[in-house]
Amino acid sequence: MGDRAVRNIFPLEDYHPQRTPQSLQVLLGQREKHQKSRKFEVNTVTIEQFNMLALKVNGRMENFEAGQEIRKGWKKLKNIISSDRSITMEENEGIVFYNQGNMVQSDGTVELWIGVRVSEIAHTPEGCKCFTIPKRKYAKIDCCCFSRAEMDRRYNYLSEWIKEEGYHIDNGTDAFSLEPNRLDSFNPFEVPAHEIQAFDFDILYPIK
C-alpha cells in the first residue's frame, strides 16, 4: 500500500505518511476492516502470575514528554537485555504499566514503567526492577486504532464499562494497569511519540 492510498483510506489528523515505516503501512492495510468497525468489545480476563523486568520513567503528558520518556526507557531496556544473555524475553511485546492510584506525582508528572515478560532471572540489572505480577482479573479492550482520538475513545469506553458493570479499578500497591504493545508488525517505541498515529496494544485495567 502506497503513501497516497494510506492517506485516502485513513485521513488522520497530524498524520505524516512520508515518515511512516513500511511495516506500519502493512499494518494499516491489514487492519482496515477493524478500523471501520466502531463496535468496542470488553472482556474480563484472568492473567496468571508472571515476571517482568522494567524501567521506571517520569514525564508530563504535555508536548508528548511522557511518550518520549517511554521510548528512551525502551531503548535502555533493550540494550540491557541484548547485553545480558541470562535474560530471556517470554513474549515479543513491550508492556507499559502503571498504578492508577499513584500515577500522577506531586510535581505534575506521571510515573510509568516500561517492561518485558521474562523468565525468572538470577540478578536484576542496575537501573531496572523485577516485578512479580500476581494472578489477577482484568477488564480488557483491544486498542488497534489509527488516531489518538480513537485511542482516547477506548480508554473512556473501558472506564465507563467498568462502572456500568459494577466493578471498580483496583488501586492496590501491586495492582497495575497493563498495556502490552505487540511488536510483531511494527515497534511503536521506535516511532517518535509526536509522530505516531497507529496503535496496536491492549488496555487491561485490574478490577475488583
Side-chain angles (χ1 to χ4, degrees):
M1 179 180 293
D3 288 338
R4 180 173 297 178
V6 171
R7 186 165 58 251
N8 290 338
I9 294 173
F10 305 109
L12 304 179
E13 54 195 6
D14 300 322
Y15 184 59
H16 303 287
Q18 70 274 16
R19 300 181 184 179
T20 305
Q22 179 62 32
S23 57
L24 184 49
Q25 293 183 19
V26 171
L27 176 66
L28 291 170
Q30 291 174 340
R31 299 300 180 91
E32 178 180 353
K33 291 182 180 179
H34 193 295
Q35 165 67 7
K36 291 181 177 179
S37 174
R38 299 290 177 171
K39 183 180 178 181
F40 298 151
E41 181 179 353
V42 178
N43 297 307
T44 58
V45 297
T46 298
I47 298 179
E48 297 295 326
Q49 177 176 301
F50 66 95
N51 297 317
M52 189 151 52
L53 184 69
L55 282 169
K56 182 168 67 175
V57 301
N58 290 82
R60 298 182 182 277
M61 297 303 293
E62 295 85 1
N63 300 319
F64 305 100
E65 182 179 312
Q68 292 169 358
E69 293 304 314
I70 282 288
R71 282 153 178 78
K72 292 177 185 177
W74 172 258
K75 185 176 181 180
K76 291 178 182 178
L77 186 60
K78 186 174 67 172
N79 289 339
I80 290 171
I81 294 171
S82 63
S83 64
D84 191 331
R85 294 183 179 180
S86 69
I87 302 173
T88 303
M89 287 178 57
E90 292 191 338
E91 302 286 345
N92 190 28
E93 61 185 20
I95 304 175
V96 178
F97 62 104
Y98 46 91
N99 181 291
Q100 295 199 36
N102 63 11
M103 180 174 64
V104 180
Q105 305 298 294
S106 59
D107 61 359
T109 62
V110 294
E111 180 179 285
L112 305 169
W113 294 83
I114 175 67
V116 295
R117 287 181 182 239
V118 294
S119 303
E120 205 165 318
I121 58 178
H123 70 282
T124 302
E126 184 178 355
C128 294
K129 184 173 181 179
C130 193
F131 290 84
T132 297
I133 306 299
K135 180 178 179 179
R136 192 178 300 280
K137 186 175 183 178
Y138 297 85
K140 173 184 175 182
I141 190 171
D142 178 275
C143 192
C144 175
C145 58
F146 304 95
S147 74
R148 292 186 178 86
E150 285 293 320
M151 178 177 63
D152 289 342
R153 288 183 62 207
R154 285 159 174 78
Y155 282 111
N156 293 333
Y157 186 91
L158 181 59
S159 296
E160 289 302 316
W161 184 92
I162 290 172
K163 294 177 184 177
E164 291 173 1
E165 294 297 318
Y167 293 110
H168 299 279
I169 296 175
D170 191 344
N171 291 327
T173 55
D174 64 346
F176 295 100
S177 294
L178 308 174
E179 297 180 4
N181 288 257
R182 290 171 279 274
L183 306 180
D184 294 321
S185 298
F186 78 105
N187 190 330
F189 306 120
E190 294 180 354
V191 181
H194 67 282
E195 293 184 14
I196 191 166
Q197 291 283 357
F199 307 92
D200 186 20
F201 65 97
D202 295 323
I203 307 170
L204 297 109
Y205 284 174
I207 54 175
K208 57 183 179 179

